[in-house]
Amino acid sequence: MSKREMIADLLAKRSAVKSELDGLVGTATTEKRGLSDDETARFDAGEAEIRAFDERVKELDAQVRADDAAAEMAKRYAPKAGDGVQSEPEIYRSGNGGRSYFRDLHLSRNKGDRDATDRLHRNNKGRTEERALSTSNGAGGEFVPPLWLESEFVKIARAGRITANLTPTFPLPAGTDSINVPKVNTGTAVAVQGTQNTAVQNTDLTTTSISSGVTTVAGGQTVSLQLIEQSPLNIDDVVLQDLAADYARQLNTLVLNGSGTSGQPTGIMTLSGVHAVDFSATITAPATWASTFYSKLAGAIQQIHTSRYLPPDTIIMHPVRWAYLLTQVDGQGRPLVVPAAGNAMNALGNAGQVASQGYVGTMLGLPVYVDALIPTNLTAGAGTNEDAVIVARMADLMLWESHVRAEAFEQTYANNMSVFIRLYNYVSFQAGRYPASISVITGKNLGAPTF
């Protein structure tokens, strides 16, 4: 979701809350009465939601304006039409007959081939103009993978990036090994003035910051020189796509349960201060599993409501857990998770699209996503087969990514006529802005299900 789409979504939600509050006031006015205690509480909560929406829209609007200004600046100083770069056909492309990016890397770095170097520079220039690399970490003389390769790990939601793709993502700033986010530690206060002309409450606001280190995610593959120089197949298709897929898997694993040590960020499930919901209570009959889970899910949601004072926006679970929910039936054998069509009554949840990853439906008004990288080996009873369910306000999380780079080296591999291909990227993840935005449901009743 782009920043403009996020703004539109927030404004729509704000409008819905504003309409609800106007309805409360309109009803009370029509009935010529004041608001009841419940209506007053809902009105105050709605006003808080609107203020939060306004604050977030203001932040995003400032970011959009900054992005637009940077794009306009880049456009102003971009090469003029007719310099032979912008109108040039794609230098590297996929499939049979496509020129190999890895082969040119090898020829340029190890053989001094000027034509290969020229193609790499022209490709780099085109990608720089399109992506404003000067604003990102690593904006230097390294070569940037061509567009068709970039799409494999940036634009396509490949297996392994479900939770990472749900997190607001920003360009990683250049020249830094950590990201520091300012945070209000303790707030101001107000109080009733006891008598006129006496001092009013004066409590100083204090601030702090939370830091997340920059993590290097890298991988490589040794390839024979013959395959690069002589093969009619484009080795880029095979090697880089596979490296890209594993980069996606590793990044998503770090977002979910990075340890916070050994260069890893702290993941959602390892973050201190999140709400822990235990699903281990004794269930007397199999038919009550679904209703008990439903209650735990509602409990996880209300913990975010009552501590973050804003609603969660996402439920994430393992595909096996969603599949198990689809098997649950009521006392008459009717499924409790049913297709959204038909205005189903008394449904535990609504099934959306059939998918092995990504969006699958809704529960308690929240979208449900399945992510196969949620661990299924957590402790459950005497075994280690427990998974977890995450309820979160993903808008409160932050992920920074640089641009993936690839290199080719012949050194130390020349004796075997081999070339080492390396792919790497810099990332930083911060889940700790509001730990109260996250609830994690675990317990023995989330052990491996039987179908």
Side-chain angles (χ1 to χ4, degrees):
M1 181 181 291
S2 69
K3 293 176 184 176
R4 283 185 168 85
E5 290 172 335
M6 292 172 66
I7 291 174
D9 181 60
L10 289 168
L11 290 176
K13 292 177 179 178
R14 184 192 190 281
S15 178
V17 174
K18 180 66 164 55
S19 297
E20 180 185 355
L21 300 188
D22 289 344
L24 289 176
V25 174
T27 300
T29 300
T30 300
E31 298 175 357
K32 298 181 179 181
R33 60 174 178 82
L35 296 176
S36 66
D37 291 342
D38 289 342
E39 290 172 332
T40 299
R42 176 59 194 128
F43 187 88
D44 292 341
E47 288 283 286
E49 288 184 52
I50 288 175
R51 287 193 295 272
F53 286 141
D54 290 341
E55 179 183 346
R56 183 58 176 156
V57 166
K58 185 177 179 181
E59 292 176 2
L60 290 171
D61 182 65
Q63 293 174 17
V64 168
R65 290 174 183 271
D67 291 343
D68 289 345
E72 181 62 30
M73 187 70 69
K75 182 178 178 181
R76 182 182 306 172
Y77 292 101
K80 293 181 172 56
D83 66 358
V85 174
Q86 295 180 347
S87 60
E88 183 177 16
E90 195 70 35
I91 299 170
Y92 301 105
R93 60 185 186 276
S94 179
N96 292 336
R99 179 175 282 116
S100 171
Y101 171 71
F102 282 148
R103 186 172 186 272
D104 275 359
L105 277 178
H106 162 67
L107 293 175
S108 173
R109 180 181 292 274
N110 302 310
K111 303 296 185 182
D113 189 309
R114 292 187 177 182
D115 290 338
T117 302
D118 179 63
R119 286 191 294 269
L120 289 167
H121 278 299
R122 283 185 283 129
N123 170 75
N124 217 42
K125 189 174 184 180
R127 297 283 74 75
T128 301
E129 290 166 359
E130 292 175 13
R131 303 186 311 174
L133 277 182
S134 61
T135 66
S136 301
N137 203 342
E142 75 280 346
F143 293 118
V144 183
L147 183 61
W148 71 266
L149 290 175
E150 178 186 328
S151 67
E152 295 298 329
F153 40 76
V154 176
K155 296 180 180 177
I156 298 177
R158 295 180 65 89
R161 277 201 64 134
I162 300 305
T163 302
N165 285 347
L166 292 170
T167 305
T169 304
F170 309 91
L172 184 68
T176 182
D177 58 2
S178 66
I179 303 291
N180 295 301
V181 179
K183 182 176 181 178
V184 175
N185 195 30
T186 60
T188 58
V190 298
V192 174
Q193 185 183 29
T195 58
Q196 298 182 23
N197 297 319
T198 59
V200 300
Q201 180 72 28
N202 183 12
T203 302
D204 291 335
L205 178 147
T206 64
T207 61
T208 184
S209 65
I210 53 177
S211 177
S212 57
V214 174
T215 299
T216 303
V217 182
Q221 173 70 52
T222 302
V223 179
S224 73
L225 186 59
Q226 293 91 335
L227 188 59
I228 289 179
E229 292 188 337
Q230 296 296 118
S231 174
L233 298 177
N234 195 342
I235 188 61
D236 306 20
D237 287 337
V238 179
V239 176
L240 193 50
Q241 287 184 25
D242 197 58
L243 285 171
D246 203 54
Y247 165 76
R249 179 196 63 82
Q250 182 62 41
L251 174 62
N252 200 76
T253 299
L254 294 173
V255 168
L256 281 170
N257 54 359
S259 66
T261 61
S262 303
Q264 297 186 16
T266 300
I268 293 172
M269 297 176 59
T270 55
L271 178 68
S272 176
V274 303
H275 305 294
V277 180
D278 181 42
F279 187 28
S280 299
T282 301
I283 297 177
T284 57
T288 63
W289 185 94
S291 61
T292 306
F293 174 78
Y294 195 71
S295 175
K296 294 295 182 180
L297 192 62
I301 292 172
Q302 66 83 22
Q303 286 188 324
I304 297 173
H305 280 307
T306 56
S307 56
R308 177 64 177 97
Y309 309 112
L310 287 172
D313 53 29
T314 306
I315 299 171
I316 307 170
M317 62 181 70
H318 194 277
V320 73
R321 187 55 51 195
W322 177 251
Y324 189 58
L325 284 168
L326 294 177
T327 69
Q328 301 300 300
V329 296
D330 64 13
Q332 285 71 45
R334 296 172 296 192
L336 293 173
V337 178
V338 296
N343 298 319
M345 298 180 62
N346 301 323
L348 182 78
N350 291 125
Q353 64 187 39
V354 178
S356 58
Q357 57 179 344
Y359 173 77
V360 290
T362 62
M363 293 188 73
L364 288 167
L366 296 178
V368 178
Y369 295 83
V370 293
D371 187 338
L373 288 176
I374 288 182
T376 58
N377 60 350
L378 305 175
T379 300
T384 55
N385 58 3
E386 172 193 346
D387 54 281
V389 176
I390 298 170
V391 180
R393 180 177 174 82
M394 297 299 290
D396 285 343
L397 281 57
M398 302 180 78
L399 173 66
W400 294 267
E401 277 190 90
S402 184
H403 295 294
V404 178
R405 274 138 285 174
E407 298 174 323
F409 300 92
E410 189 179 53
Q411 294 86 345
T412 74
Y413 300 93
N415 188 50
N416 298 324
M417 292 192 69
S418 300
V419 176
F420 183 73
I421 296 168
R422 181 173 69 189
L423 177 143
Y424 68 100
N425 197 16
Y426 301 116
V427 300
S428 185
F429 175 66
Q430 181 56 262
R433 292 175 65 217
Y434 297 99
S437 293
I438 302 168
S439 293
V440 180
I441 307 174
T442 57
K444 68 178 183 179
N445 290 320
L446 287 175
T450 301
F451 292 91

